[in-house]
PDB file of all heavy atoms in Angstrom:
ATOM      1  N   LEU A  24      89.763  88.183  -5.547  1.00 80.00           N
ATOM      2  CA  LEU A  24      89.952  87.739  -6.922  1.00 80.00           C
ATOM      3  C   LEU A  24      91.289  88.124  -7.490  1.00 80.00           C
ATOM      4  O   LEU A  24      91.564  87.843  -8.629  1.00 80.00           O
ATOM      5  CB  LEU A  24      88.813  88.291  -7.815  1.00 80.00           C
ATOM      6  CG  LEU A  24      87.393  88.000  -7.376  1.00 80.00           C
ATOM      7  CD1 LEU A  24      86.388  88.612  -8.346  1.00 80.00           C
ATOM      8  CD2 LEU A  24      87.152  86.538  -7.253  1.00 80.00           C
ATOM      9  N   ASN A  25      92.092  88.797  -6.724  1.00 84.00           N
ATOM     10  CA  ASN A  25      93.365  89.366  -7.142  1.00 84.00           C
ATOM     11  C   ASN A  25      94.533  88.532  -6.628  1.00 84.00           C
ATOM     12  O   ASN A  25      94.759  88.481  -5.425  1.00 84.00           O
ATOM     13  CB  ASN A  25      93.455  90.821  -6.746  1.00 84.00           C
ATOM     14  CG  ASN A  25      94.741  91.462  -7.237  1.00 84.00           C
ATOM     15  OD1 ASN A  25      95.530  90.885  -8.007  1.00 84.00           O
ATOM     16  ND2 ASN A  25      94.909  92.752  -6.921  1.00 84.00           N
ATOM     17  N   LYS A  26      95.291  87.897  -7.493  1.00 87.00           N
ATOM     18  CA  LYS A  26      96.409  87.084  -7.098  1.00 87.00           C
ATOM     19  C   LYS A  26      97.689  87.595  -7.785  1.00 87.00           C
ATOM     20  O   LYS A  26      98.585  86.827  -8.093  1.00 87.00           O
ATOM     21  CB  LYS A  26      96.159  85.568  -7.527  1.00 87.00           C
ATOM     22  CG  LYS A  26      94.903  85.015  -6.977  1.00 87.00           C
ATOM     23  CD  LYS A  26      94.848  85.127  -5.443  1.00 87.00           C
ATOM     24  CE  LYS A  26      93.479  84.820  -4.895  1.00 87.00           C
ATOM     25  NZ  LYS A  26      93.378  85.137  -3.478  1.00 87.00           N
ATOM     26  N   SER A  27      97.777  88.889  -7.969  1.00 88.00           N
ATOM     27  CA  SER A  27      98.906  89.499  -8.652  1.00 88.00           C
ATOM     28  C   SER A  27     100.178  89.419  -7.780  1.00 88.00           C
ATOM     29  O   SER A  27     100.099  89.259  -6.553  1.00 88.00           O
ATOM     30  CB  SER A  27      98.627  90.951  -8.986  1.00 88.00           C
ATOM     31  OG  SER A  27      97.496  91.028  -9.826  1.00 88.00           O
ATOM     32  N   LEU A  28     101.359  89.538  -8.424  1.00 89.00           N
ATOM     33  CA  LEU A  28     102.652  89.404  -7.737  1.00 89.00           C
ATOM     34  C   LEU A  28     103.375  90.697  -7.921  1.00 89.00           C
ATOM     35  O   LEU A  28     103.543  91.205  -9.050  1.00 89.00           O
ATOM     36  CB  LEU A  28     103.399  88.244  -8.363  1.00 89.00           C
ATOM     37  CG  LEU A  28     104.816  87.987  -7.838  1.00 89.00           C
ATOM     38  CD1 LEU A  28     104.808  87.592  -6.388  1.00 89.00           C
ATOM     39  CD2 LEU A  28     105.523  86.984  -8.666  1.00 89.00           C
ATOM     40  N   ALA A  29     103.895  91.273  -6.812  1.00 89.00           N
ATOM     41  CA  ALA A  29     104.689  92.547  -6.856  1.00 89.00           C
ATOM     42  C   ALA A  29     106.130  92.178  -6.621  1.00 89.00           C
ATOM     43  O   ALA A  29     106.520  91.503  -5.667  1.00 89.00           O
ATOM     44  CB  ALA A  29     104.185  93.496  -5.816  1.00 89.00           C
ATOM     45  N   ILE A  30     106.984  92.659  -7.538  1.00 91.00           N
ATOM     46  CA  ILE A  30     108.480  92.429  -7.435  1.00 91.00           C
ATOM     47  C   ILE A  30     109.190  93.683  -7.792  1.00 91.00           C
ATOM     48  O   ILE A  30     108.645  94.615  -8.352  1.00 91.00           O
ATOM     49  CB  ILE A  30     108.928  91.247  -8.323  1.00 91.00           C
ATOM     50  CG1 ILE A  30     108.728  91.625  -9.802  1.00 91.00           C
ATOM     51  CG2 ILE A  30     108.235  89.969  -7.965  1.00 91.00           C
ATOM     52  CD1 ILE A  30     109.323  90.650 -10.744  1.00 91.00           C
ATOM     53  N   THR A  31     110.503  93.719  -7.454  1.00 92.00           N
ATOM     54  CA  THR A  31     111.454  94.753  -7.965  1.00 92.00           C
ATOM     55  C   THR A  31     112.401  94.111  -8.859  1.00 92.00           C
ATOM     56  O   THR A  31     113.037  93.102  -8.522  1.00 92.00           O
ATOM     57  CB  THR A  31     112.122  95.442  -6.791  1.00 92.00           C
ATOM     58  OG1 THR A  31     111.128  96.054  -5.877  1.00 92.00           O
ATOM     59  CG2 THR A  31     113.071  96.507  -7.281  1.00 92.00           C
ATOM     60  N   THR A  32     112.546  94.630 -10.052  1.00 93.00           N
ATOM     61  CA  THR A  32     113.296  93.951 -11.112  1.00 93.00           C
ATOM     62  C   THR A  32     114.780  93.989 -10.840  1.00 93.00           C
ATOM     63  O   THR A  32     115.324  94.925 -10.197  1.00 93.00           O
ATOM     64  CB  THR A  32     113.028  94.565 -12.488  1.00 93.00           C
ATOM     65  OG1 THR A  32     113.381  95.983 -12.421  1.00 93.00           O
ATOM     66  CG2 THR A  32     111.544  94.472 -12.856  1.00 93.00           C
ATOM     67  N   SER A  33     115.463  92.984 -11.327  1.00 92.00           N
ATOM     68  CA  SER A  33     116.917  92.848 -11.359  1.00 92.00           C
ATOM     69  C   SER A  33     117.292  92.056 -12.589  1.00 92.00           C
ATOM     70  O   SER A  33     116.376  91.539 -13.304  1.00 92.00           O
ATOM     71  CB  SER A  33     117.426  92.185 -10.055  1.00 92.00           C
ATOM     72  OG  SER A  33     117.008  90.888 -10.011  1.00 92.00           O
ATOM     73  N   LEU A  34     118.591  91.924 -12.811  1.00 91.00           N
ATOM     74  CA  LEU A  34     118.988  91.153 -13.989  1.00 91.00           C
ATOM     75  C   LEU A  34     118.554  89.706 -13.847  1.00 91.00           C
ATOM     76  O   LEU A  34     118.298  88.998 -14.844  1.00 91.00           O
ATOM     77  CB  LEU A  34     120.462  91.254 -14.161  1.00 91.00           C
ATOM     78  CG  LEU A  34     121.038  92.628 -14.650  1.00 91.00           C
ATOM     79  CD1 LEU A  34     122.551  92.556 -14.677  1.00 91.00           C
ATOM     80  CD2 LEU A  34     120.454  92.978 -15.981  1.00 91.00           C
ATOM     81  N   GLU A  35     118.426  89.187 -12.663  1.00 91.00           N
ATOM     82  CA  GLU A  35     118.025  87.828 -12.405  1.00 91.00           C
ATOM     83  C   GLU A  35     116.528  87.649 -12.483  1.00 91.00           C
ATOM     84  O   GLU A  35     115.979  86.527 -12.414  1.00 91.00           O
ATOM     85  CB  GLU A  35     118.530  87.339 -11.025  1.00 91.00           C
ATOM     86  CG  GLU A  35     120.023  87.228 -10.933  1.00 91.00           C
ATOM     87  CD  GLU A  35     120.717  88.588 -10.757  1.00 91.00           C
ATOM     88  OE1 GLU A  35     120.001  89.520 -10.367  1.00 91.00           O
ATOM     89  OE2 GLU A  35     121.930  88.660 -11.024  1.00 91.00           O
ATOM     90  N   SER A  36     115.746  88.785 -12.604  1.00 91.00           N
ATOM     91  CA  SER A  36     114.296  88.661 -12.625  1.00 91.00           C
ATOM     92  C   SER A  36     113.777  88.268 -13.997  1.00 91.00           C
ATOM     93  O   SER A  36     112.610  87.909 -14.115  1.00 91.00           O
ATOM     94  CB  SER A  36     113.645  90.031 -12.243  1.00 91.00           C
ATOM     95  OG  SER A  36     114.093  90.413 -10.975  1.00 91.00           O
ATOM     96  N   ARG A  37     114.625  88.295 -15.020  1.00 93.00           N
ATOM     97  CA  ARG A  37     114.118  87.953 -16.340  1.00 93.00           C
ATOM     98  C   ARG A  37     113.779  86.480 -16.440  1.00 93.00           C
ATOM     99  O   ARG A  37     114.567  85.622 -16.032  1.00 93.00           O
ATOM    100  CB  ARG A  37     115.198  88.300 -17.388  1.00 93.00           C
ATOM    101  CG  ARG A  37     115.464  89.759 -17.560  1.00 93.00           C
ATOM    102  CD  ARG A  37     116.635  90.098 -18.453  1.00 93.00           C
ATOM    103  NE  ARG A  37     117.886  89.583 -17.882  1.00 93.00           N
ATOM    104  CZ  ARG A  37     119.032  89.705 -18.436  1.00 93.00           C
ATOM    105  NH1 ARG A  37     119.122  90.233 -19.669  1.00 93.00           N
ATOM    106  NH2 ARG A  37     120.158  89.245 -17.878  1.00 93.00           N
ATOM    107  N   GLY A  38     112.617  86.184 -16.953  1.00 92.00           N
ATOM    108  CA  GLY A  38     112.143  84.797 -17.124  1.00 92.00           C
ATOM    109  C   GLY A  38     110.646  84.709 -17.233  1.00 92.00           C
ATOM    110  O   GLY A  38     109.943  85.707 -17.532  1.00 92.00           O
ATOM    111  N   THR A  39     110.106  83.550 -16.983  1.00 93.00           N
ATOM    112  CA  THR A  39     108.645  83.257 -17.077  1.00 93.00           C
ATOM    113  C   THR A  39     108.064  83.108 -15.726  1.00 93.00           C
ATOM    114  O   THR A  39     108.575  82.294 -14.924  1.00 93.00           O
ATOM    115  CB  THR A  39     108.415  81.956 -17.930  1.00 93.00           C
ATOM    116  OG1 THR A  39     109.001  82.182 -19.214  1.00 93.00           O
ATOM    117  CG2 THR A  39     106.927  81.727 -18.084  1.00 93.00           C
ATOM    118  N   TYR A  40     106.980  83.831 -15.463  1.00 93.00           N
ATOM    119  CA  TYR A  40     106.264  83.739 -14.152  1.00 93.00           C
ATOM    120  C   TYR A  40     104.945  83.039 -14.387  1.00 93.00           C
ATOM    121  O   TYR A  40     104.180  83.438 -15.310  1.00 93.00           O
ATOM    122  CB  TYR A  40     106.048  85.131 -13.582  1.00 93.00           C
ATOM    123  CG  TYR A  40     107.357  85.772 -13.159  1.00 93.00           C
ATOM    124  CD1 TYR A  40     108.184  86.413 -14.034  1.00 93.00           C
ATOM    125  CD2 TYR A  40     107.726  85.775 -11.821  1.00 93.00           C
ATOM    126  CE1 TYR A  40     109.365  86.984 -13.654  1.00 93.00           C
ATOM    127  CE2 TYR A  40     108.904  86.343 -11.362  1.00 93.00           C
ATOM    128  CZ  TYR A  40     109.770  86.988 -12.321  1.00 93.00           C
ATOM    129  OH  TYR A  40     110.893  87.549 -11.905  1.00 93.00           O
ATOM    130  N   ILE A  41     104.629  82.038 -13.554  1.00 92.00           N
ATOM    131  CA  ILE A  41     103.487  81.190 -13.747  1.00 92.00           C
ATOM    132  C   ILE A  41     102.577  81.405 -12.469  1.00 92.00           C
ATOM    133  O   ILE A  41     102.967  81.115 -11.376  1.00 92.00           O
ATOM    134  CB  ILE A  41     103.831  79.709 -13.888  1.00 92.00           C
ATOM    135  CG1 ILE A  41     104.817  79.568 -15.083  1.00 92.00           C
ATOM    136  CG2 ILE A  41     102.605  78.855 -14.105  1.00 92.00           C
ATOM    137  CD1 ILE A  41     105.403  78.180 -15.184  1.00 92.00           C
ATOM    138  N   CYS A  42     101.294  81.863 -12.771  1.00 91.00           N
ATOM    139  CA  CYS A  42     100.350  82.033 -11.680  1.00 91.00           C
ATOM    140  C   CYS A  42      99.425  80.832 -11.663  1.00 91.00           C
ATOM    141  O   CYS A  42      98.907  80.381 -12.714  1.00 91.00           O
ATOM    142  CB  CYS A  42      99.510  83.293 -11.929  1.00 91.00           C
ATOM    143  SG  CYS A  42      98.126  83.533 -10.792  1.00 91.00           S
ATOM    144  N   GLU A  43      99.279  80.214 -10.499  1.00 90.00           N
ATOM    145  CA  GLU A  43      98.450  79.024 -10.345  1.00 90.00           C
ATOM    146  C   GLU A  43      97.399  79.297  -9.266  1.00 90.00           C
ATOM    147  O   GLU A  43      97.687  79.722  -8.181  1.00 90.00           O
ATOM    148  CB  GLU A  43      99.303  77.817  -9.906  1.00 90.00           C
ATOM    149  CG  GLU A  43     100.296  77.393 -10.930  1.00 90.00           C
ATOM    150  CD  GLU A  43     101.060  76.158 -10.550  1.00 90.00           C
ATOM    151  OE1 GLU A  43     101.009  75.806  -9.328  1.00 90.00           O
ATOM    152  OE2 GLU A  43     101.665  75.477 -11.402  1.00 90.00           O
ATOM    153  N   VAL A  44      96.129  79.107  -9.689  1.00 89.00           N
ATOM    154  CA  VAL A  44      94.998  79.227  -8.694  1.00 89.00           C
ATOM    155  C   VAL A  44      94.316  77.895  -8.601  1.00 89.00           C
ATOM    156  O   VAL A  44      93.841  77.345  -9.645  1.00 89.00           O
ATOM    157  CB  VAL A  44      94.033  80.321  -9.191  1.00 89.00           C
ATOM    158  CG1 VAL A  44      92.823  80.432  -8.206  1.00 89.00           C
ATOM    159  CG2 VAL A  44      94.701  81.660  -9.324  1.00 89.00           C
ATOM    160  N   GLN A  45      94.253  77.341  -7.435  1.00 87.00           N
ATOM    161  CA  GLN A  45      93.689  76.028  -7.216  1.00 87.00           C
ATOM    162  C   GLN A  45      92.180  76.101  -6.935  1.00 87.00           C
ATOM    163  O   GLN A  45      91.787  76.879  -6.106  1.00 87.00           O
ATOM    164  CB  GLN A  45      94.392  75.306  -6.056  1.00 87.00           C
ATOM    165  CG  GLN A  45      95.858  74.983  -6.269  1.00 87.00           C
ATOM    166  CD  GLN A  45      96.787  76.197  -6.040  1.00 87.00           C
ATOM    167  OE1 GLN A  45      96.486  77.052  -5.221  1.00 87.00           O
ATOM    168  NE2 GLN A  45      97.903  76.216  -6.777  1.00 87.00           N
ATOM    169  N   PHE A  46      91.485  75.272  -7.664  1.00 87.00           N
ATOM    170  CA  PHE A  46      90.023  75.097  -7.446  1.00 87.00           C
ATOM    171  C   PHE A  46      89.778  73.649  -7.038  1.00 87.00           C
ATOM    172  O   PHE A  46      90.674  72.860  -7.078  1.00 87.00           O
ATOM    173  CB  PHE A  46      89.247  75.486  -8.709  1.00 87.00           C
ATOM    174  CG  PHE A  46      89.237  76.930  -9.101  1.00 87.00           C
ATOM    175  CD1 PHE A  46      90.286  77.450  -9.790  1.00 87.00           C
ATOM    176  CD2 PHE A  46      88.179  77.759  -8.743  1.00 87.00           C
ATOM    177  CE1 PHE A  46      90.313  78.777 -10.113  1.00 87.00           C
ATOM    178  CE2 PHE A  46      88.202  79.088  -9.063  1.00 87.00           C
ATOM    179  CZ  PHE A  46      89.256  79.607  -9.781  1.00 87.00           C
ATOM    180  N   GLN A  47      88.527  73.343  -6.691  1.00 84.00           N
ATOM    181  CA  GLN A  47      88.212  71.992  -6.229  1.00 84.00           C
ATOM    182  C   GLN A  47      88.369  71.038  -7.399  1.00 84.00           C
ATOM    183  O   GLN A  47      88.835  69.915  -7.178  1.00 84.00           O
ATOM    184  CB  GLN A  47      86.806  71.965  -5.679  1.00 84.00           C
ATOM    185  CG  GLN A  47      86.631  72.703  -4.356  1.00 84.00           C
ATOM    186  CD  GLN A  47      85.203  72.691  -3.875  1.00 84.00           C
ATOM    187  OE1 GLN A  47      84.324  72.116  -4.487  1.00 84.00           O
ATOM    188  NE2 GLN A  47      84.980  73.250  -2.663  1.00 84.00           N
ATOM    189  N   ARG A  48      87.963  71.408  -8.600  1.00 84.00           N
ATOM    190  CA  ARG A  48      87.999  70.469  -9.711  1.00 84.00           C
ATOM    191  C   ARG A  48      89.326  70.438 -10.428  1.00 84.00           C
ATOM    192  O   ARG A  48      89.744  69.406 -10.949  1.00 84.00           O
ATOM    193  CB  ARG A  48      86.869  70.789 -10.710  1.00 84.00           C
ATOM    194  CG  ARG A  48      85.490  70.619 -10.147  1.00 84.00           C
ATOM    195  CD  ARG A  48      84.433  70.473 -11.262  1.00 84.00           C
ATOM    196  NE  ARG A  48      84.340  71.585 -12.150  1.00 84.00           N
ATOM    197  CZ  ARG A  48      83.461  72.539 -12.018  1.00 84.00           C
ATOM    198  NH1 ARG A  48      82.554  72.517 -11.043  1.00 84.00           N
ATOM    199  NH2 ARG A  48      83.426  73.562 -12.857  1.00 84.00           N
ATOM    200  N   ARG A  49      90.030  71.576 -10.547  1.00 87.00           N
ATOM    201  CA  ARG A  49      91.273  71.601 -11.235  1.00 87.00           C
ATOM    202  C   ARG A  49      92.024  72.898 -10.871  1.00 87.00           C
ATOM    203  O   ARG A  49      91.525  73.707 -10.118  1.00 87.00           O
ATOM    204  CB  ARG A  49      91.057  71.552 -12.755  1.00 87.00           C
ATOM    205  CG  ARG A  49      90.345  72.743 -13.311  1.00 87.00           C
ATOM    206  CD  ARG A  49      89.915  72.565 -14.784  1.00 87.00           C
ATOM    207  NE  ARG A  49      91.046  72.318 -15.621  1.00 87.00           N
ATOM    208  CZ  ARG A  49      91.119  71.317 -16.494  1.00 87.00           C
ATOM    209  NH1 ARG A  49      90.084  70.509 -16.600  1.00 87.00           N
ATOM    210  NH2 ARG A  49      92.164  71.128 -17.257  1.00 87.00           N
ATOM    211  N   THR A  50      93.220  73.057 -11.429  1.00 90.00           N
ATOM    212  CA  THR A  50      94.079  74.210 -11.192  1.00 90.00           C
ATOM    213  C   THR A  50      94.170  75.007 -12.515  1.00 90.00           C
ATOM    214  O   THR A  50      94.541  74.479 -13.567  1.00 90.00           O
ATOM    215  CB  THR A  50      95.434  73.791 -10.738  1.00 90.00           C
ATOM    216  OG1 THR A  50      95.349  73.130  -9.487  1.00 90.00           O
ATOM    217  CG2 THR A  50      96.376  75.041 -10.524  1.00 90.00           C
ATOM    218  N   LEU A  51      93.903  76.282 -12.390  1.00 91.00           N
ATOM    219  CA  LEU A  51      94.032  77.177 -13.546  1.00 91.00           C
ATOM    220  C   LEU A  51      95.430  77.870 -13.517  1.00 91.00           C
ATOM    221  O   LEU A  51      95.883  78.213 -12.414  1.00 91.00           O
ATOM    222  CB  LEU A  51      92.993  78.232 -13.555  1.00 91.00           C
ATOM    223  CG  LEU A  51      91.509  77.791 -13.729  1.00 91.00           C
ATOM    224  CD1 LEU A  51      90.582  78.975 -13.754  1.00 91.00           C
ATOM    225  CD2 LEU A  51      91.359  76.967 -14.978  1.00 91.00           C
ATOM    226  N   THR A  52      96.035  77.960 -14.680  1.00 92.00           N
ATOM    227  CA  THR A  52      97.332  78.568 -14.751  1.00 92.00           C
ATOM    228  C   THR A  52      97.373  79.663 -15.813  1.00 92.00           C
ATOM    229  O   THR A  52      96.660  79.584 -16.766  1.00 92.00           O
ATOM    230  CB  THR A  52      98.462  77.498 -15.083  1.00 92.00           C
ATOM    231  OG1 THR A  52      98.169  76.949 -16.365  1.00 92.00           O
ATOM    232  CG2 THR A  52      98.498  76.401 -14.041  1.00 92.00           C
ATOM    233  N   ALA A  53      98.205  80.669 -15.545  1.00 91.00           N
ATOM    234  CA  ALA A  53      98.452  81.744 -16.539  1.00 91.00           C
ATOM    235  C   ALA A  53      99.917  82.155 -16.402  1.00 91.00           C
ATOM    236  O   ALA A  53     100.433  82.195 -15.281  1.00 91.00           O
ATOM    237  CB  ALA A  53      97.525  82.917 -16.309  1.00 91.00           C
ATOM    238  N   SER A  54     100.555  82.372 -17.515  1.00 91.00           N
ATOM    239  CA  SER A  54     101.994  82.712 -17.512  1.00 91.00           C
ATOM    240  C   SER A  54     102.247  84.007 -18.238  1.00 91.00           C
ATOM    241  O   SER A  54     101.496  84.413 -19.137  1.00 91.00           O
ATOM    242  CB  SER A  54     102.794  81.576 -18.116  1.00 91.00           C
ATOM    243  OG  SER A  54     102.496  81.406 -19.471  1.00 91.00           O
ATOM    244  N   VAL A  55     103.311  84.662 -17.841  1.00 92.00           N
ATOM    245  CA  VAL A  55     103.737  85.885 -18.507  1.00 92.00           C
ATOM    246  C   VAL A  55     105.275  85.942 -18.398  1.00 92.00           C
ATOM    247  O   VAL A  55     105.839  85.541 -17.404  1.00 92.00           O
ATOM    248  CB  VAL A  55     103.103  87.127 -17.809  1.00 92.00           C
ATOM    249  CG1 VAL A  55     103.544  87.241 -16.390  1.00 92.00           C
ATOM    250  CG2 VAL A  55     103.401  88.409 -18.603  1.00 92.00           C
ATOM    251  N   ASP A  56     105.913  86.475 -19.469  1.00 94.00           N
ATOM    252  CA  ASP A  56     107.344  86.609 -19.504  1.00 94.00           C
ATOM    253  C   ASP A  56     107.690  88.037 -19.136  1.00 94.00           C
ATOM    254  O   ASP A  56     107.045  89.009 -19.516  1.00 94.00           O
ATOM    255  CB  ASP A  56     107.906  86.323 -20.920  1.00 94.00           C
ATOM    256  CG  ASP A  56     107.773  84.847 -21.249  1.00 94.00           C
ATOM    257  OD1 ASP A  56     107.802  84.034 -20.323  1.00 94.00           O
ATOM    258  OD2 ASP A  56     107.604  84.523 -22.436  1.00 94.00           O
ATOM    259  N   LEU A  57     108.785  88.166 -18.346  1.00 95.00           N
ATOM    260  CA  LEU A  57     109.294  89.464 -17.943  1.00 95.00           C
ATOM    261  C   LEU A  57     110.647  89.704 -18.616  1.00 95.00           C
ATOM    262  O   LEU A  57     111.530  88.814 -18.491  1.00 95.00           O
ATOM    263  CB  LEU A  57     109.438  89.574 -16.402  1.00 95.00           C
ATOM    264  CG  LEU A  57     110.053  90.835 -15.875  1.00 95.00           C
ATOM    265  CD1 LEU A  57     109.167  92.032 -16.205  1.00 95.00           C
ATOM    266  CD2 LEU A  57     110.278  90.761 -14.370  1.00 95.00           C
ATOM    267  N   ASP A  58     110.806  90.788 -19.271  1.00 95.00           N
ATOM    268  CA  ASP A  58     112.068  91.153 -19.896  1.00 95.00           C
ATOM    269  C   ASP A  58     112.417  92.595 -19.587  1.00 95.00           C
ATOM    270  O   ASP A  58     111.526  93.403 -19.311  1.00 95.00           O
ATOM    271  CB  ASP A  58     111.956  90.957 -21.410  1.00 95.00           C
ATOM    272  CG  ASP A  58     113.337  90.836 -22.066  1.00 95.00           C
ATOM    273  OD1 ASP A  58     114.332  90.871 -21.338  1.00 95.00           O
ATOM    274  OD2 ASP A  58     113.414  90.819 -23.303  1.00 95.00           O
ATOM    275  N   LEU A  59     113.709  92.928 -19.655  1.00 95.00           N
ATOM    276  CA  LEU A  59     114.201  94.256 -19.269  1.00 95.00           C
ATOM    277  C   LEU A  59     114.779  94.954 -20.508  1.00 95.00           C
ATOM    278  O   LEU A  59     115.436  94.330 -21.357  1.00 95.00           O
ATOM    279  CB  LEU A  59     115.259  94.138 -18.240  1.00 95.00           C
ATOM    280  CG  LEU A  59     114.889  93.481 -16.943  1.00 95.00           C
ATOM    281  CD1 LEU A  59     116.080  93.485 -15.977  1.00 95.00           C
ATOM    282  CD2 LEU A  59     113.689  94.186 -16.247  1.00 95.00           C
ATOM    283  N   VAL A  60     114.440  96.258 -20.626  1.00 95.00           N
ATOM    284  CA  VAL A  60     115.037  97.060 -21.714  1.00 95.00           C
ATOM    285  C   VAL A  60     116.376  97.582 -21.186  1.00 95.00           C
ATOM    286  O   VAL A  60     116.429  98.274 -20.189  1.00 95.00           O
ATOM    287  CB  VAL A  60     114.097  98.246 -22.104  1.00 95.00           C
ATOM    288  CG1 VAL A  60     114.688  99.031 -23.223  1.00 95.00           C
ATOM    289  CG2 VAL A  60     112.742  97.683 -22.474  1.00 95.00           C
ATOM    290  N   GLN A  61     117.462  97.281 -21.874  1.00 93.00           N
ATOM    291  CA  GLN A  61     118.813  97.651 -21.420  1.00 93.00           C
ATOM    292  C   GLN A  61     119.537  98.425 -22.482  1.00 93.00           C
ATOM    293  O   GLN A  61     119.323  98.264 -23.681  1.00 93.00           O
ATOM    294  CB  GLN A  61     119.612  96.390 -21.153  1.00 93.00           C
ATOM    295  CG  GLN A  61     119.025  95.452 -20.093  1.00 93.00           C
ATOM    296  CD  GLN A  61     119.837  94.265 -19.889  1.00 93.00           C
ATOM    297  OE1 GLN A  61     120.903  94.241 -19.260  1.00 93.00           O
ATOM    298  NE2 GLN A  61     119.431  93.145 -20.438  1.00 93.00           N
ATOM    299  N   VAL A  62     120.365  99.366 -21.980  1.00 91.00           N
ATOM    300  CA  VAL A  62     121.221 100.188 -22.902  1.00 91.00           C
ATOM    301  C   VAL A  62     122.666  99.807 -22.563  1.00 91.00           C
ATOM    302  O   VAL A  62     123.119  99.936 -21.430  1.00 91.00           O
ATOM    303  CB  VAL A  62     120.983 101.694 -22.649  1.00 91.00           C
ATOM    304  CG1 VAL A  62     121.980 102.495 -23.474  1.00 91.00           C
ATOM    305  CG2 VAL A  62     119.557 102.061 -23.067  1.00 91.00           C
TER     306      VAL A  62
END
């Protein structure tokens, strides 16, 4: 039941990540934005 994504952040990693799980009747999607705290 776990479809999580593991990454190592970089400046190019900022953006929107979309998780898609395909079922027989339809595809469920969930999105999350990744942002970096910078000094």
Side-chain angles (χ1 to χ4, degrees):
L24 305 179
N25 184 0
K26 304 303 167 189
S27 301
L28 177 67
I30 65 171
T31 300
T32 59
S33 64
L34 290 177
E35 294 76 20
S36 301
R37 293 173 294 179
T39 302
Y40 291 81
I41 304 170
C42 174
E43 295 184 344
V44 179
Q45 293 81 30
F46 291 83
Q47 292 179 357
R48 295 200 299 262
R49 66 188 302 130
T50 298
L51 295 181
T52 62
S54 63
V55 63
D56 290 330
L57 176 63
D58 197 5
L59 302 180
V60 182
Q61 301 179 76
V62 175

